[in-house]
Amino acid sequence: MSRILVPCHVKGTVALQVGDVRTSQGRPGVLVIDVTFPSVAPFELQEITFKNYYTAFLSIRVRQHTSAHTTAKWLTCLRDYCLMPDPHSEEGAQEYVSLFKHQMLCDMARVSELRLILRQPSPLWLSFTVEELQIYQQGPKSPSMTFPKWLSHPVPCEQPALLCESLPDPSRVSSEVQQMWALTEMIRASHTSARIGRFDVDGCYDLNLLSYT
Amino acid sequence: MLQEESDLSLIIAQIVQKLKGSNLYSQLERQAWASLQRPEIKLESLKEDIKEFFKISGWEKKLQNAVYGELSVFPLPSHPAAPPEHLKEPLVYMRKAQGSWEKRILKSLNSMCTELSIPLARKRPVGEQKELLNKWNEMGTDEPDLSLFRPVYAPKDFLEVLINLRNPNYENGDSLSFRTHLGLIQIPLKVKDIPELKECFVELGLNTGQLGIDDSTQVPPELFENEHVRIGQKVLAEQDSAAAQQYIRQGSPTALRAELWALILNISSEPEDVLYYEQLKTNVIQHDLLVDSLIYKDVKLTASNDDYYFVFEDYLYQVLLCFSRDTSVLSHFAYNSASPPKSYIRGKLGLEEYAVFYPPNGVIPFHGFSMYVAPLCFLYHEPSKLYQIFREMYVRFFFRLHSISSHPSGIVSLCLLFETLLQTYLPQLFYHLREIGAQPLRISFKWMVRAFSGYLATDQLLLLWDRILGYNSLEILAVLAAAVFAFRAVNLMEVTSLAAAEVMRNNRRIIIWCGIPVYTLLKLE
């Protein structure tokens, strides 16, 4: 299924915290990232990919236009999706993640804005976010062609002339030949990735020093 | 569902691609072509008939074993957006730490090179080649002057690097709080706790028979041993890798061990493999590497001084020297956080066409490296088979013991697992040892890095390595290390210094039954 990258504008993260940020001891455990699509009309969202950085749970809210006349509504399409099974340990902390349309709670048609709500309840981490955020929409389906009439409705074939009995049945021969051809094509197309095993360059392996780059 | 299906087809495609380059593929092709002569193969149902033929003749089983082998070794295909470095090691700071550790090793090797004025590699003159070929089977009798060589690094240097490993995003406050790790490792990796370990190592439970315990002279063999041996023979007759891996979790009878390990690691001695080994031998004869001297020194310092392994000194040279020339080992760097060192042909610095890996297999041996090979010499006497088994063991398990990674079987996770087990279940002992300045990891690190080779009697060690193969994981090493401490807890509480604790530990072979880890830990639950 093809997909097209949708250019988006990721606004800066906003920390949600109760009380005054300067005086309170702890670090924020909830961050909000707004994603807008300034140059694109409301589209059908296919896939969201990103690289996690120590976010434990992700919720996504999406702003949808249900029809041309009503105002856009905010809906929750993903609730508390777990990115780190144990928020205190490194498992899943820097993984690449893809979220698809079929995993969402609501229909993803006509999306105009996204809001990602990141949660990290563990106080062990200094910061958390998601990186390399990319939004994809459905690519064009393969164009449907109209076949010419004579291809889709072949003329009923004439009865072949009865050949001498000693010759093999032509339809059987043609199917066997087709299969052999398919096998040879497959063998020709496959290539191995086996190494050759040489470590020297033209028989020479005189080295100076190890390289640091 | 869609995601699982596409993941599955990706895994299948990856395995097919890997197997296409293998010997098995060409053998299957040849068999398929040859089978066309057979009367039961008909052209209309060509595919099904050949599949049936493979099933009957045992080739399907070989293919199954190969696929099972690939699944055990290769990590699952990662996200399409993830770069190849991510497959080697997902955490960025660990990659960086591994990179700087490697740079230190390279600097050390380069400085040794310049100090001693010895080239990294040189072609041997013909006379020297002939001489080496003549004494190939008795290289141990050679006594070259190795006094100027020193090992590139020892396990304790590596431990210092691991102790200083820090996650920049982690709260590493100076004051003690709930977030401080009391042990030496300060990385919050996910390690299994006792309930998870019990579930994982269920075949090591009290109710299941174990070789090494339930085959001792006091226990009548009808209770467990006879049946277990019979099942082992059946598994070998079926030639099924997966069944062998399951079977060996309860230990392997000595007579069947060599074949079982070969079956699990999917090693078969075809003529091509013997030829490949001979080719490596030719490479050793033709080119002399600096790394060879490091290997010589290591063998002389470790295995030759060991009561059990000194007889195998010649075998060790034959395996390790060839190992350094084997470029097929380079493929394991796809899932190893380490990277092979690079160099350029003399006079062609910077030109990519003249860039090579050094040593050809990308692995620089450290002090104690030869101990990975030594126990295998008890099982295999034919050099090419011994070589293949060692190579497979290295690219599946041993590489994880000396590279920095977040993998559950990596040395960092093993250290953390050991420390966590000890803190959770022997807190008094842990506190006492910490107070006298004898952090337990300083004692047990060298056991784990060598997979207990040289620290356990050989029959015990082979029973331990049975379990490593059976569970396809090195976590049992950390569990055994913790169990040793638990076993000697009473004595250790009386110790007053690190040196004394060390002496207690090194007091010759720790003769313990292999089942002790789970027994001890179950008692502690």
Side-chain angles (χ1 to χ4, degrees):
Chain A
M1 210 175 307
S2 63
R3 53 180 201 181
I4 304 178
L5 183 63
V6 180
C8 58
H9 172 63
V10 180
K11 290 197 188 149
T13 55
V14 174
L16 298 184
Q17 212 170 4
V18 175
D20 192 358
V21 176
R22 280 189 303 269
T23 55
S24 59
Q25 289 285 322
R27 283 181 288 275
V30 185
L31 292 180
V32 176
I33 300 180
D34 274 319
V35 184
T36 55
F37 307 96
S39 48
V40 178
F43 63 95
E44 172 152 7
L45 192 139
Q46 175 79 2
E47 186 183 339
I48 302 176
T49 52
F50 57 88
K51 181 173 189 289
N52 187 18
Y53 188 76
Y54 294 95
T55 305
F57 301 101
L58 176 67
S59 301
I60 303 183
R61 302 202 84 205
V62 71
R63 192 172 194 183
Q64 262 190 342
H65 294 260
T66 42
S67 72
H69 302 290
T70 57
T71 51
K73 287 194 301 169
W74 281 100
L75 294 170
T76 305
C77 63
L78 197 66
R79 197 187 302 272
D80 279 343
Y81 183 75
C82 180
L83 295 170
M84 286 168 67
D86 176 8
H88 297 301
S89 80
E90 300 260 12
E91 204 182 343
Q94 295 191 26
E95 286 301 323
Y96 286 83
V97 181
S98 266
L99 297 166
F100 296 93
K101 192 169 70 169
H102 62 84
Q103 292 170 277
M104 306 294 183
L105 296 168
C106 66
D107 182 25
M108 299 299 280
R110 288 186 294 277
V111 166
S112 64
E113 225 179 307
L114 278 181
R115 178 168 283 168
L116 284 88
I117 302 166
L118 315 176
R119 289 205 303 120
Q120 176 49 274
S122 169
L124 294 173
W125 312 111
L126 297 175
S127 72
F128 63 97
T129 182
V130 294
E131 295 166 346
E132 295 171 38
L133 189 62
Q134 287 181 320
I135 319 282
Y136 295 93
Q137 66 172 335
Q138 182 109 31
K141 291 197 181 55
S142 49
S144 59
M145 293 196 298
T146 50
F147 286 104
K149 197 150 162 246
W150 55 269
L151 262 184
S152 48
H153 299 288
V155 174
C157 49
E158 311 109 26
Q159 274 292 31
L162 205 58
L163 295 167
C164 187
E165 278 86 26
S166 56
L167 290 174
D169 178 24
S171 54
R172 218 186 111 223
V173 169
S174 72
S175 74
E176 286 165 14
V177 168
Q178 270 186 344
Q179 282 173 339
M180 293 299 290
W181 175 85
L183 279 174
T184 46
E185 279 298 302
M186 263 172 51
I187 291 172
R188 202 183 316 161
S190 66
H191 58 97
T192 77
S193 53
R195 294 183 162 273
I196 300 177
R198 300 275 305 277
F199 58 81
D200 51 354
V201 177
D202 296 332
C204 172
Y205 196 63
D206 282 331
L207 306 175
N208 258 337
L209 290 175
L210 295 172
S211 154
Y212 296 131
T213 47
Chain B
M1 268 325 278
L2 272 174
Q3 193 56 21
E4 283 164 30
E5 281 166 19
S6 63
D7 278 345
L8 189 61
S9 35
L10 200 55
I11 296 173
I12 294 173
Q14 188 176 302
I15 294 181
V16 166
Q17 185 62 27
K18 272 224 82 196
L19 286 179
K20 268 197 182 150
S22 72
N23 209 9
L24 181 65
Y25 182 74
S26 35
Q27 281 176 326
L28 281 172
E29 249 190 321
R30 252 179 280 144
Q31 285 294 320
W33 281 113
S35 75
L36 289 176
Q37 313 285 338
R38 302 172 80 91
E40 62 264 20
I41 310 284
K42 308 245 187 313
L43 260 181
E44 310 86 66
S45 50
L46 188 65
K47 207 161 137 187
E48 284 72 31
D49 287 343
I50 292 192
K51 274 205 253 184
E52 191 58 40
F53 165 69
F54 277 158
K55 207 178 282 193
I56 302 169
S57 56
W59 282 99
E60 195 196 34
K61 191 97 269 184
K62 291 205 175 102
L63 182 60
Q64 268 182 344
N65 289 346
V67 172
Y68 189 72
E70 287 299 323
L71 280 173
S72 309
V73 175
F74 241 81
L76 297 175
S78 55
H79 194 271
E85 307 91 67
H86 194 259
L87 188 64
K88 287 159 76 80
E89 171 50 53
L91 300 179
V92 174
Y93 72 90
M94 281 218 175
R95 286 207 293 263
K96 286 208 179 105
Q98 173 67 23
S100 29
W101 167 239
E102 276 170 17
K103 215 165 178 174
R104 267 178 63 182
I105 299 176
L106 297 188
K107 282 203 174 124
S108 170
L109 201 56
N110 273 348
S111 63
M112 198 190 308
C113 224
T114 37
E115 266 171 45
L116 302 176
S117 310
I118 295 176
L120 280 178
R122 67 177 178 96
K123 195 150 183 146
R124 276 190 232 266
V126 177
E128 199 184 315
Q129 286 188 27
K130 278 211 185 81
E131 203 188 315
L132 185 57
L133 189 58
N134 285 338
K135 57 173 180 40
W136 177 256
N137 287 324
E138 31 174 64
M139 281 187 274
T141 53
D142 216 9
E143 293 283 343
D145 180 19
L146 299 168
S147 52
L148 296 170
F149 289 98
R150 52 181 193 279
V152 182
Y153 66 95
K156 62 175 171 11
D157 305 316
F158 189 49
L159 178 60
E160 290 304 318
V161 174
L162 297 185
I163 292 171
N164 292 320
L165 201 54
R166 293 285 182 278
N167 180 346
N169 195 33
Y170 188 72
E171 170 84 70
N172 287 310
D174 290 321
S175 55
L176 278 182
S177 71
F178 68 88
R179 51 193 76 152
T180 319
H181 289 240
L182 289 170
L184 291 173
I185 303 291
Q186 301 288 319
I187 306 292
L189 291 172
K190 178 94 183 84
V191 291
K192 295 192 169 82
D193 55 7
I194 286 272
E196 285 168 333
L197 285 171
K198 270 164 78 161
E199 204 184 304
C200 178
F201 295 114
V202 71
E203 291 87 353
L204 294 179
L206 282 165
N207 299 331
T208 324
Q210 304 292 331
L211 278 184
I213 301 164
D214 297 304
D215 60 339
S216 69
T217 42
Q218 294 95 359
V219 181
E222 300 84 54
L223 279 182
F224 168 68
E225 194 185 351
N226 287 351
E227 182 63 19
H228 192 63
V229 174
R230 199 185 63 81
I231 297 177
Q233 283 159 344
K234 199 164 167 213
V235 164
L236 280 175
E238 290 292 311
Q239 286 289 297
D240 188 333
S241 275
Q245 194 164 331
Q246 178 65 35
Y247 168 78
I248 213 174
R249 290 178 181 188
Q250 291 173 264
S252 159
T254 318
L256 306 178
R257 182 173 280 125
E259 283 179 58
L260 276 171
W261 282 23
L263 180 56
I264 294 173
L265 296 170
N266 211 24
I267 305 283
S268 54
S269 271
E270 304 286 328
E272 293 90 2
D273 301 312
V274 180
L275 263 176
Y276 189 76
Y277 176 74
E278 292 296 320
Q279 177 65 37
L280 292 175
K281 184 172 153 186
T282 319
N283 290 339
V284 175
I285 309 265
Q286 281 178 347
H287 293 274
D288 178 29
L289 304 180
L290 179 65
V291 167
D292 294 348
S293 309
L294 296 175
I295 292 172
Y296 268 108
K297 179 118 192 177
D298 183 46
V299 172
K300 293 277 182 214
L301 282 178
T302 55
S304 301
N305 283 334
D306 192 299
D307 302 332
Y308 287 87
Y309 302 126
F310 72 92
V311 288
F312 299 122
E313 192 181 339
D314 299 321
Y315 276 123
L316 295 177
Y317 296 126
Q318 290 174 22
V319 166
L320 286 167
L321 293 180
C322 290
F323 182 63
S324 296
R325 270 74 167 176
D326 193 348
T327 50
S328 68
V329 175
L330 290 172
S331 55
H332 93 284
F333 285 106
Y335 51 87
N336 181 358
S337 61
S339 299
K342 230 168 78 164
S343 182
Y344 293 92
I345 301 286
R346 196 184 297 273
K348 311 275 187 208
L349 188 66
L351 297 173
E352 275 317 305
E353 314 85 73
Y354 293 95
V356 289
F357 291 119
Y358 181 85
N361 72 342
V363 179
I364 296 185
F366 56 91
H367 178 67
F369 193 82
S370 53
M371 294 305 278
Y372 289 143
V373 190
L376 302 173
C377 298
F378 276 104
L379 296 174
Y380 304 97
H381 306 295
E382 208 261 294
S384 72
K385 187 118 190 228
L386 172 63
Y387 174 75
Q388 280 184 283
I389 296 275
F390 165 66
R391 180 182 60 186
E392 193 60 32
M393 292 281 280
Y394 182 82
V395 301
R396 280 202 198 196
F397 305 113
F398 296 145
F399 75 91
R400 297 204 192 275
L401 296 172
H402 62 92
S403 52
I404 304 176
S405 101
S406 60
H407 193 271
S409 272
I411 189 68
V412 189
S413 302
L414 295 184
C415 291
L416 191 59
L417 177 60
F418 164 75
E419 288 191 319
T420 313
L421 283 175
L422 216 55
Q423 282 178 58
T424 318
Y425 294 97
L426 293 165
Q428 257 192 316
L429 175 63
F430 191 88
Y431 183 74
H432 169 71
L433 287 172
R434 198 165 168 263
E435 287 299 291
I436 63 168
Q439 278 270 9
L441 186 60
R442 287 199 190 276
I443 303 169
S444 63
F445 184 73
K446 49 187 183 295
W447 305 341
M448 292 193 283
V449 163
R450 283 209 202 156
F452 281 86
S453 173
Y455 298 106
L456 273 184
T458 313
D459 56 332
Q460 305 292 312
L461 182 72
L462 292 174
L463 285 169
L464 175 67
W465 286 15
D466 282 341
R467 268 60 175 214
I468 294 181
L469 282 167
Y471 290 101
N472 201 29
S473 140
L474 292 163
E475 286 160 321
I476 193 95
L477 297 176
V479 174
L480 179 59
V484 170
F485 274 77
F487 194 52
R488 304 281 187 134
V490 172
N491 296 20
L492 280 169
M493 286 299 287
E494 293 164 9
V495 151
T496 51
S497 73
L498 173 61
E502 291 253 13
V503 165
M504 248 207 67
R505 291 277 60 73
N506 294 338
N507 213 345
R508 266 318 43 184
R509 305 300 188 171
I510 314 161
I511 312 291
I512 13 175
W513 297 116
C514 205
I516 271 212
V518 180
Y519 282 27
T520 321
L521 293 165
L522 287 176
K523 199 164 56 110
L524 294 164
E525 171 65 2

